[in-house]
Amino acid sequence: MKEFELIKRYFAEQSITRKDVILGIGDDCAVILPAERQHIAITTDTLVAGVHFPLNTSARAIGHKVVAVSLSDLAAMGAEPAWLSLAITLPEISESWAADFSAGVFELCEFYNVQLIGGDTTQGPLSVTVTAQGYTPTDKFLTRSGAKVGDWLFVTENIGDAALALQYLQGQLDVEEVHRASIQTKLDFPKPRILAGQVLRDYASAAIDISDGLAADLSHICTASNVGASLVLDKLPISTALRESLPLMDAYKLALTGGDDYELLFTVAADNRVAMETALATTGVKITCIGQLDSSNKIKTLFNDESVCFDLQGFEHFSDK
Ligand code: ADP
Ligand code: MG
């Protein structure tokens, strides 16, 4: 099968056809007619085999994940996703790989009403790149830089399971059989918190999605907003799987330094907290308050109301400040 037939069969046919797409796949460019008086948020992510996912990851999981990580960036800005472009580099043309991969891509496209509008297909070591674009209302989007001293720090759902799955796959620790499937799903099929991000537009002062580990991503908010934070370890939302696989402090450390969670980390002014909690309850996404921002320009960790010293990789950049 030729490259063009592969594109036609596995990528050009899709169930989502948006009104704002004038020309989709098939010409030299896609052409869109964006809604009036909206901003467009744009983000690109690449996943390289053996670097960003284990070599034996299923094609469907790779398709899902590359879309999910890009949509997660849109979620962190409070954007509503609209269009995707997809560049794939494959060692060889494989129909079964393309079929499974595109199923992973399209299951998220269908869920979020996102149209694949173009891309590129080349030969080489396996890697996939997605550019995702989405709408935000004029001058109403979330950034990393709006956090203020005194704001509360929140995170969606649980953190650390994807890192736990990766360490298990790499043979660095053992996980009881009952927990293996759920953590593998967290690693392979992350859920972008699109709806939560859009709700947070009205309440949060800053937001980021957790891709490099909570500690590193919190340091990005702190640097951009020129604040520090105290992080309450006892409050960190971790799964039973993680709790039962490691001693407690090691579990917290993995939750803070492991990557691939794709949960939202956000800050909210004390005055907005109750309204935010009420609004987010309608999304069904769990949120947990895990700390508060201060003027220290450092990230402190607390356990049982006492300061604990935690060696967290990912803090180097922040401490250079
Ligand atoms: P060109 O050489 O003009 O860049 P291509 O032959 O690379 O065009 O692509 C033909 C069409 O197929 C274009 O519309 C392009 O956007 C689309 N396309 C190529 N690869 C992919 C892909 N992996 N996913 C989606 N669309 C793709
Ligand atoms: Mg061309």
Side-chain angles (χ1 to χ4, degrees):
M1 176 176 267
K2 291 258 166 50
E3 173 199 321
F4 196 69
E5 287 167 58
L6 187 91
I7 296 166
K8 208 166 151 211
R9 181 161 320 164
Y10 295 106
F11 298 101
E13 276 163 34
Q14 52 188 315
S15 58
I16 300 297
T17 49
R18 293 175 57 99
K19 287 211 186 71
D20 52 14
V21 177
I22 307 300
L23 257 190
I25 293 172
D27 217 307
D28 290 312
C29 287
V31 177
I32 55 181
L33 180 64
E36 278 178 39
R37 308 217 56 73
Q38 301 262 314
H39 289 317
I40 296 173
I42 306 169
T43 178
T44 298
D45 276 286
T46 294
L47 303 183
V48 177
V51 179
H52 301 101
F53 56 85
L55 291 173
N56 60 359
T57 304
S58 75
R60 189 180 140 233
I62 298 168
H64 180 106
K65 189 160 183 169
V66 71
V67 175
V69 303
S70 287
L71 295 189
S72 177
D73 281 324
L74 292 181
M77 304 298 285
E80 177 194 329
W83 319 290
L84 290 185
S85 314
L86 168 67
I88 51 188
T89 304
L90 283 176
E92 69 219 29
I93 289 195
S94 154
E95 272 199 72
S96 69
W97 192 92
D100 291 347
F101 174 83
S102 69
V105 167
F106 287 135
E107 66 201 9
L108 275 178
C109 288
E110 278 156 31
F111 193 80
Y112 290 109
N113 192 34
V114 172
Q115 186 171 343
L116 180 64
I117 55 170
D120 200 15
T121 307
T122 55
Q123 200 167 13
L126 179 60
S127 93
V128 290
T129 298
V130 160
T131 295
Q133 307 186 50
Y135 288 110
T136 76
T138 316
D139 296 327
K140 209 167 168 197
F141 48 87
L142 300 167
T143 65
R144 301 174 177 188
S145 59
K148 300 271 185 310
V149 172
D151 287 358
W152 294 105
L153 180 68
F154 279 84
V155 67
T156 57
E157 296 296 336
N158 288 342
I159 50 165
D161 280 351
L164 181 66
L166 194 60
Q167 293 216 336
Y168 169 72
L169 287 178
Q170 292 170 341
Q172 293 173 32
L173 48 72
D174 196 21
V175 175
E176 275 187 57
E177 192 162 1
V178 289
H179 298 312
R180 287 178 201 160
S182 71
I183 61 172
Q184 183 76 42
T185 301
K186 286 288 193 70
L187 178 66
D188 285 345
F189 298 97
K191 290 202 175 88
R193 302 297 174 195
I194 292 292
L195 194 54
Q198 284 173 56
V199 169
L200 285 171
R201 251 178 357 216
D202 286 323
Y203 305 98
S205 50
I208 192 168
D209 70 315
I210 305 175
S211 50
D212 299 333
L214 193 153
D217 289 312
L218 173 58
S219 78
H220 294 320
I221 287 186
C222 288
T223 305
S225 301
N226 198 24
V227 293
S230 55
L231 202 54
V232 185
L233 295 179
D234 332 38
K235 302 273 191 210
L236 286 180
I238 60 173
S239 67
T240 313
L242 179 49
R243 219 172 264 282
E244 289 182 356
S245 302
L246 282 169
L248 191 58
M249 283 298 153
D250 292 344
Y252 288 147
K253 184 164 178 188
L254 189 64
L256 291 178
T257 58
D260 272 355
D261 294 305
Y262 303 104
E263 296 300 340
L264 295 182
L265 180 69
F266 61 95
T267 59
V268 58
D271 287 353
N272 274 340
R273 178 173 170 166
V274 173
M276 179 279 291
E277 287 171 332
T278 308
L280 262 194
T282 64
T283 67
V285 174
K286 177 178 86 167
I287 54 169
T288 310
C289 183
I290 57 169
Q292 194 170 23
L293 304 187
D294 57 38
S295 58
S296 69
N297 277 342
K298 282 199 297 261
I299 295 171
K300 285 192 298 289
T301 43
L302 302 173
F303 183 72
N304 273 340
D305 290 330
E306 279 178 33
S307 215
V308 286
C309 201
F310 230 52
D311 170 31
L312 296 170
Q313 69 196 73
F315 273 62
E316 293 79 15
H317 172 68
F318 186 64
S319 56
D320 279 341
K321 231 184 95 175

